[in-house]
Amino acid sequence: MHVISDLVAQLFEWIQSLGYFGIMIGLMIEVIPSEIVLAYGGYLVHLGEINFFGAVLFGTIGGVVAQIFVYWVGRYGGRPVLERYGKYILIRKHHIDHAEAWFEKYGTGVIFTARFIPVVRHAISVPAGISRMPLWRFIMLTTLAVIPWSVLFVYLGMSLGENWKNIDEKAAAYTHEIIIGAIALIVVYFLFKWLQSKKKRGNAA
């Protein structure tokens, strides 16, 4: 455990030395959960080493690129590759199971809302790649979801300052509300798709 802690500490030092690019690369490689990397980025804003807009911008780029990588693995390697190597990018088999179930139930529109749901958000890019969802649409929906996520955690990290490591406690109240909102959006989207399908069947009849 001590070795792992030392490794994480060294990684944060590396991120700090690279500034904006450190945040971007830290999110791209996903060795550490994105919330923690973004919160640390907020801490760097607190120190005055980088600015808020830059942290959010590079955090968004890194987060989107990371998901594009998972999308490509799903598209060209399929589920077996993710099950075997996904642990290296914090994706487990149960993440993929949940993500595929959501994707099959709600369709491509879930790419946006699922980013805010624990477990599902880690692997929703897998079924998107496997189903060969258009890349441009995947990038657009992913970007729209990553932006507010980046803003929230950079802001919280900045607000916490030296206590940025307490991000889980600080973010709990916010993420709870976000999850409820995301689920509500999914329900609305599902109803919209259902009504749309019902209307098409009526026109066909």
Side-chain angles (χ1 to χ4, degrees):
M1 182 65 70
H2 181 65
V3 174
I4 294 176
S5 298
D6 288 344
L7 182 62
V8 171
Q10 290 176 8
L11 183 56
F12 280 128
E13 289 179 7
W14 178 70
I15 290 174
Q16 184 173 9
S17 68
L18 292 178
Y20 299 115
F21 288 99
I23 296 171
M24 183 180 72
I25 297 172
L27 289 166
M28 286 170 58
I29 60 178
E30 290 198 321
V31 174
I32 302 173
S34 62
E35 303 95 310
I36 297 177
V37 175
L38 290 168
Y40 186 72
Y43 170 60
L44 296 182
V45 174
H46 168 77
L47 293 177
E49 297 190 12
I50 58 177
N51 65 60
F52 180 83
F53 176 76
V56 171
L57 175 62
F58 281 81
T60 299
I61 294 172
V64 173
V65 171
Q67 293 306 314
I68 292 175
F69 171 73
V70 178
Y71 168 91
W72 278 337
V73 174
R75 180 162 182 164
Y76 298 110
R79 177 167 179 153
V81 174
L82 266 301
E83 288 186 353
R84 184 172 183 179
Y85 300 106
K87 60 184 178 181
Y88 298 111
I89 51 174
L90 306 180
I91 295 178
R92 307 287 180 178
K93 182 179 180 297
H94 70 279
H95 293 150
I96 302 174
D97 291 339
H98 283 285
E100 286 190 339
W102 277 56
F103 198 85
E104 289 175 6
K105 186 174 183 179
Y106 300 111
T108 59
V110 79
I111 290 296
F112 171 78
T113 48
R115 297 291 176 198
F116 306 102
I117 309 295
V119 181
V120 179
R121 68 187 181 83
H122 287 291
I124 195 63
S125 302
V126 178
I130 293 174
S131 67
R132 296 182 177 274
M133 176 182 178
L135 182 59
W136 68 267
R137 187 176 185 187
F138 173 82
I139 292 175
M140 178 186 70
L141 292 172
T142 299
T143 302
L144 290 175
V146 172
I147 289 174
W149 193 255
S150 299
V151 169
L152 173 63
F153 281 93
V154 170
Y155 171 75
L156 292 179
M158 180 180 67
S159 300
L160 286 168
E162 298 290 339
N163 299 315
W164 69 271
K165 292 181 181 180
N166 298 327
I167 186 63
D168 287 342
E169 299 174 15
K170 182 71 173 180
Y174 295 91
T175 53
H176 180 69
E177 298 298 328
I178 289 172
I179 291 170
I180 293 175
I183 293 175
L185 284 174
I186 290 173
V187 171
V188 171
Y189 175 76
F190 181 76
L191 288 174
F192 171 76
K193 296 291 287 186
W194 179 76
L195 289 172
Q196 192 177 46
S197 177
K198 185 177 181 180
K199 183 178 179 180
K200 287 182 178 178
R201 288 198 299 270
N203 291 337

